[in-house]
Amino acid sequence: MPVTSQLFRGLPRTKVLASGLLPCQHHQSHLAPITQRPASRRPSCMWQGHQHSRSYQTTSALRSYILTPPQVNSILKANEYSFKVPEFDGKNVSSVMGFESNQLPANAPIEDRRSAATCLQTRGMLLGVFDGHAGCACAQALSERLFYYIAVSLLPHDTLCELEAAVEGGRALSPILQWHKHPNDYYSKEAQTLYFNSLRTYWQELIDLTSPGEVPDTREALLNAFKRLDNDISLEAQVGDPNAFLHYWVLRVAFSGATACVAHIDGSDLYIANAGDARAVLGVQEEDGSFSVHTLSNDHSAQNDEEVARIRGEHPPSERKTVIRQDRLLGLLMPFRAFGDVKFKWSIELQKRVLESGPDQLHENEHTKFIPPNYHTPPYLTAEPEITYHKLRPQDRFMVIGSDGLWETLHRQEVVRIVGEYLTGMQQRQPLKVGGYRVTLGQMQGLLEERKARVSSAFEDQNSATHLMRHAVGNNEFGTVDHERLSKMLSLPEELARMYRDDITIIISQFNPHVIGAQRQEGQS
């Protein structure tokens, strides 16, 4: 089964870094990587320079394979997906014209997941990127479950009662979501009954907590959905299941982890719920046709001073020096908010009790046995999202949601420029920049000719996410796609790919400025 294989595989560049969080390696010291590995995900010997200007080091491992352009395209386009919102009476009445998405694995299997769905009982569209670590189990569960929790949280009291009455009476349920899935997007059929029962318990509680005529608040709905699903993941792992496979599965979900960045778009109302280090940005078209970036989410990591202050404030002064070490939570975990990861949430006693009663396969895994160092006052980790709101404007042309594999390779302004040029067909002819590099006149002429050629060739991709991914993997130090570099990066052996880059998942939604403008005028009148 694709999703359940190799769930706790150790990674050279992983969000979780520790002796016991990686499977035993006979040729490695368990403790050395903690102190020797740089804080950055990207080993310094392989990448040099800052985010705007990276040099690419050719190694013997990279000289082995050269892919042809058709082979490169086949790899890049394997997981691309697009959806166009249907028109009514020849008119597009939605603020969202459609979206395009893509994924490129570095892990095997890929630990990222994506989801997209239209809310049928209420209004709006949901888009989400989930970045797993210590395996893909938690991200897989989020991709199937989180949107249902959000959709149920948005339902009014009367609709919740109708839902419960239908289940109680054995009648067919009206669908809550219309999913937009790629054929490769996995679906864990075996766990659906378990997932449904937990969801039903949640809406039963919502019925008791709400009143007839009460309209749910979107911000509260997103907050409650995130927290409740993470709580259910924890509870399901503690209770277990009579079915041996499900018992093992719920434990794998709980002991792995995942970050989540979700957008809910309803008319001109855009909400972002983010927990972790995936990111969402808006592409804003200025009057001169150029594009600027509007950041919609904050990374929950050591680079966020408010997050560092929050975590230190939640634990005693005696833990000030240990709760965050080497820019990681307890010296181990890069994101400071995530689903699952019960090793950073449960007490030591609870962890031992659950593992002792769990299947034998868990006892063979180093990840589950390991207790984080300086583990005194759990929980250290939360899945509570940071929620931001933005009122869409006609100049807000598109939104990009990406896992951190994208943002590690491209600056957010560069992301917006690449997508904006692709969607509008306009090339922003800015002065040619070569950073701090020395270039000859011949090299400069070559760069200018390459720029000229891009005008006709840049739009060979039919999917904006694929186009952005091509740049993320293939950009050279001059900001142009280098086919040789792209070929080498895509042909890296499985055991090397994760050392050079992370899984990349991208969702790009395009907005309708005419509909948004009309909705804003209606709201002001």
Side-chain angles (χ1 to χ4, degrees), residues 8 244-245 248 252 358-366 368:
F8 292 122
F245 170 80
Y248 190 28
R252 287 202 248 195
D360 294 338
Q361 297 100 310
L362 284 178
H363 303 157
E364 301 167 4
N365 194 288
E366 292 295 315
T368 55

Side-chain angles (χ1 to χ4, degrees), residues 144-207:
E144 297 183 47
R145 306 181 68 180
L146 183 55
F147 284 10
Y148 277 118
Y149 278 68
I150 294 172
V152 164
S153 300
L154 289 168
L155 292 178
H157 177 89
D158 293 344
T159 307
L160 289 170
C161 292
E162 292 172 6
L163 206 60
E164 176 61 21
V167 176
E168 194 69 30
R171 301 191 304 273
L173 295 177
S174 299
I176 299 174
L177 296 171
Q178 177 191 358
W179 290 95
H180 311 298
K181 286 184 175 290
H182 187 281
N184 291 347
D185 292 344
Y186 185 78
Y187 174 77
S188 52
K189 185 178 180 181
E190 298 86 353
Q192 292 310 301
T193 300
L194 171 70
Y195 291 171
F196 176 79
N197 289 337
S198 293
L199 182 67
R200 184 185 179 188
T201 300
Y202 177 43
W203 82 50
Q204 288 173 336
E205 293 180 15
L206 287 176
I207 290 174

Side-chain angles (χ1 to χ4, degrees), residues 23 37 56 91 282 284 304 324 366 370 450 454 486:
R37 192 181 298 264
Y56 180 64
K91 297 179 181 179
L282 271 181
V284 183
N304 184 333
I324 298 173
E366 292 295 315
F370 180 77
E450 185 175 351
R454 273 193 297 155
L486 184 60

